[in-house]
Amino acid sequence: MRPALRRAAPLAALLALAALLLVPAGCGGDDPTPTDGVRRGRYDASGRLVEGTRSRAALPNVVVLVLDTLRADAVRGRDGAPPTMPRLAAWAKDAVDFVDASAPAAWTAPSVTSMLTGLMPSDHGVQGHIAASPLAPSITTLAEILKEAGYATAALSGGGWVSRAMGLGQGFDKFIESWHTGDPRKALQRTLADHPRERPLFLLLHTYEAHDPYGRKDPPEGHDDPARVAAANAEAVRLAAAVDARPEALTPDEGRALLLGWRSDPLLRDGLTARLTRERAASAVIAYTWTGHPKDPSRAATEATLRERYDRGCAALDVGVERTLATLDAAELPGRTVVFVVTDHGEAFGENGALGHGRWLVDPITRTLLLARARGHLKPGVVRGSCGAIDLTPTILDLAGLPVPVGSAGRSLLPQARGRADGEPVLAEEFRRQPADPATPGPDITFRVVTVRTERAKLHLLWDPRTDATEATLFDLLSDPAEARPLPATDLARFGAPFAAACARARAHVATFHGRTDNHGTGRFQGE
């Protein structure tokens, strides 16, 4: 039985197998007969329902606000401290808060694409260690399904990995790529005013405001201070000259200054980009992050500085989010409106040796926000139990009375939100590029990582392409939330049969890697 959301030949058979392996662990199913009250069906590549039935209930407006790179503890607080985003925290009290949600990947392109398709990264193909190929037209998106069902569809995004060029314009009537939450109201008000009131609206909003460079970006913080602009320009000249002269042999001071400036000073980042190009500057920062920063005796101070600047940026983002949500309320769209506030991944500041995002599937990066204000559909409150951002598409379709696609790796969270279902294990996938050891020159190694997570435990599977061997590491998240004390990987049963079964299916999925053509980690499948 072929999944409804599928890639075209020549890899259809392989992806169908991967979907079947992942569906139970990812909380979907291949049986169109509902056992949980959730409708299931099949859609063609354009989003047209070809098998299954839809509800006759009125279609709600649906708004999805994606806060790129936002840590969950920015809203929930950390170590007893108040949240850095108190306005959004207050809004969340009137919403359903899925507190054990996690991401399917560690960076934007694969994670957002999974949100908008209900597929794992290895199935939709938008994946890689620092780059990704666009979504193939043969993959059906949430916007395409909703448009076929009668919705007007619009997207306002920060561009980049969330753009038409990345294939995410599929199904949208309007797709604007210059939106940000610094002052979101004008573009958002215009989009809402242009919406045909006789049709329900699906609106995707996406912002990079929490992403590096941390702090206000448009215009950059300090742009109106001549002394600060001059200092940033002088530092950009110094660091650009160092990168030009010896990009792989920066001094500790130069590497540290480059890292801090690129990631937390928008003015300095603009100066470096102007002098080096974005690609050269970013490559130098990545190289230092991977090889120089871990050996820097001052790394803890650097990470603390980055975290402080990140928190300051989140506080500014909080104001923008409040304005965005207030603008939505003021629009008074006809009928009921369901609003989701989600994050695609978080950000690490030294936890488990990780810095930033990508590469690592540790909780500071993969724990995400998943908030839903669905008045008339769901009662506000905290919902416990593991779930994922990949469940967004099935949940929205279920709210709209539309079938969840057979073969989806996600599931509708309505039964869990209503107390009729428990959480289920969630998978995540990532590529991890390991730089070659300077003492033994050779090519870099690209490992593949898969994790299985519940609120109680997490299994990491690290696949080595050189040997086809898989290293398994297990953690008890209740007693070891920092994932610092590994347990024997055979000790799965203590965390329950569903977790053990999901881990077995994840191992079966990893066993297919040696035959795949996407192990290079530079984008979609080779030969396509």
Side-chain angles (χ1 to χ4, degrees):
M1 195 176 293
R2 293 185 296 173
L5 302 185
R6 61 189 186 276
R7 174 175 302 283
L11 294 174
L14 175 59
L15 293 177
L17 173 61
L20 290 172
L21 288 169
L22 288 173
V23 157
C27 313
D30 199 41
D31 183 352
T33 304
T35 59
D36 52 7
V38 177
R39 299 168 185 265
R40 291 181 174 82
R42 300 179 187 279
Y43 298 85
D44 65 17
S46 70
R48 183 174 62 91
L49 182 64
V50 295
E51 183 182 327
T53 60
R54 54 179 290 182
S55 167
R56 295 180 179 273
L59 297 172
N61 302 300
V62 177
V63 179
V64 176
L65 173 57
V66 181
L67 304 177
D68 203 293
T69 319
L70 185 69
R71 288 174 61 118
D73 61 16
V75 174
R76 301 196 179 111
R78 100 179 167 275
D79 301 330
T84 54
M85 297 184 66
R87 294 170 176 82
L88 182 54
W91 184 90
K93 293 179 180 178
D94 190 36
V96 179
D97 185 356
F98 295 93
V99 294
D100 295 312
S102 58
W107 66 291
T108 302
S111 190
V112 172
T113 306
S114 288
M115 284 185 199
L116 299 179
T117 62
L119 293 175
M120 291 298 294
S122 57
D123 289 331
H124 61 59
V126 183
Q127 56 176 355
H129 63 91
I130 57 172
S133 298
L135 182 68
S138 57
I139 303 294
T140 310
T141 67
L142 172 63
E144 289 175 310
I145 294 174
L146 294 180
K147 184 175 181 177
E148 280 289 329
Y151 277 79
T153 57
L156 303 177
S157 91
W161 299 117
V162 184
S163 63
R164 287 188 181 274
M166 288 303 299
L168 294 182
Q170 294 175 203
F172 283 104
D173 301 319
K174 175 189 291 187
F175 204 111
I176 297 173
E177 299 178 16
S178 58
W179 187 76
H180 64 93
T181 59
D183 187 1
R185 289 167 291 192
K186 188 174 182 180
L188 181 55
Q189 288 168 344
R190 185 166 57 249
T191 297
L192 293 171
D194 291 344
H195 160 241
R197 309 286 282 191
E198 69 277 7
R199 296 170 62 192
L201 174 66
F202 171 51
L203 177 62
L204 171 68
L205 304 172
H206 165 268
T207 176
Y208 288 112
E209 290 300 301
H211 197 286
D212 65 81
Y214 309 137
R216 193 177 72 235
K217 304 172 183 59
D218 191 9
E221 186 175 347
H223 75 285
D224 53 355
D225 181 344
R228 186 165 174 182
V229 171
N233 284 336
E235 182 71 343
V237 169
R238 179 179 81 92
L239 295 175
V243 172
D244 273 333
R246 38 192 163 74
E248 298 180 359
L250 299 176
T251 67
D253 171 68
E254 291 166 344
R256 191 182 311 118
L258 181 68
L259 173 63
L260 283 169
W262 182 261
R263 298 198 51 177
S264 64
D265 187 336
L267 275 177
L268 181 50
R269 183 156 169 164
D270 285 348
L272 288 167
T273 300
R275 289 163 178 82
L276 291 172
T277 76
R278 186 183 187 283
E279 291 72 19
R280 288 190 63 214
S283 294
V285 173
I286 291 170
Y288 176 77
T289 301
W290 290 0
T291 60
H293 177 71
K295 297 179 287 188
D296 185 355
S298 302
R299 62 176 294 181
T302 299
E303 291 159 359
T305 298
L306 289 170
R307 181 64 198 256
E308 185 274 328
R309 294 178 182 178
Y310 173 85
D311 287 346
R312 197 167 63 209
C314 289
L317 170 63
D318 197 32
V319 176
V321 169
E322 182 181 49
R323 291 172 178 168
T324 299
L325 296 172
T327 301
L328 290 171
D329 287 341
E332 296 183 343
L333 295 171
R336 289 176 174 170
T337 299
V338 179
V339 179
F340 290 86
V341 178
V342 299
T343 54
D344 58 342
H345 59 80
E347 191 85 331
F349 295 95
E351 301 95 335
N352 303 89
L355 185 63
H357 54 269
R359 298 184 72 211
W360 298 276
L361 292 174
V362 295
D363 270 12
I365 298 174
T366 59
R367 289 295 300 277
T368 56
L369 279 182
L370 180 49
L371 308 171
R373 190 182 69 180
R375 294 169 179 162
H377 295 279
L378 298 173
K379 293 181 180 179
V382 171
V383 175
R384 301 195 179 276
S386 51
C387 58
I390 199 168
D391 299 322
L392 184 67
T393 283
T395 301
I396 290 173
L397 293 177
D398 198 13
L399 275 169
L402 295 165
V404 172
V406 172
S408 173
R411 63 183 172 111
S412 171
L413 296 180
L414 298 191
Q416 185 173 340
R418 292 166 176 159
R420 301 172 188 166
D422 296 326
E424 296 187 18
V426 175
L427 270 70
E429 300 180 304
E430 196 51 76
F431 291 86
R432 183 179 302 165
R433 173 67 65 86
Q434 181 68 42
D437 186 343
T440 56
D444 293 348
I445 308 163
T446 300
F447 298 96
R448 296 189 72 154
V449 187
V450 174
T451 60
V452 183
R453 190 189 188 282
T454 70
E455 66 276 18
R456 294 180 58 199
K458 182 190 271 188
L459 178 72
H460 290 252
L461 299 173
L462 179 73
W463 179 74
D464 188 333
R466 300 167 299 178
T467 61
D468 196 26
T470 302
E471 176 185 320
T473 313
L474 176 66
F475 297 98
D476 183 334
L477 296 180
L478 298 184
S479 64
D480 180 25
E483 302 175 52
R485 301 188 300 274
L487 301 172
T490 55
D491 198 10
L492 298 174
R494 63 185 286 189
F495 299 110
F499 179 71
C503 291
R505 288 188 291 269
R507 283 183 176 276
H509 173 55
V510 171
T512 69
F513 285 169
H514 73 277
R516 297 180 68 105
T517 61
D518 58 346
N519 293 323
H520 48 88
T522 56
R524 206 186 311 124
F525 308 90
Q526 290 180 342
E528 288 193 83

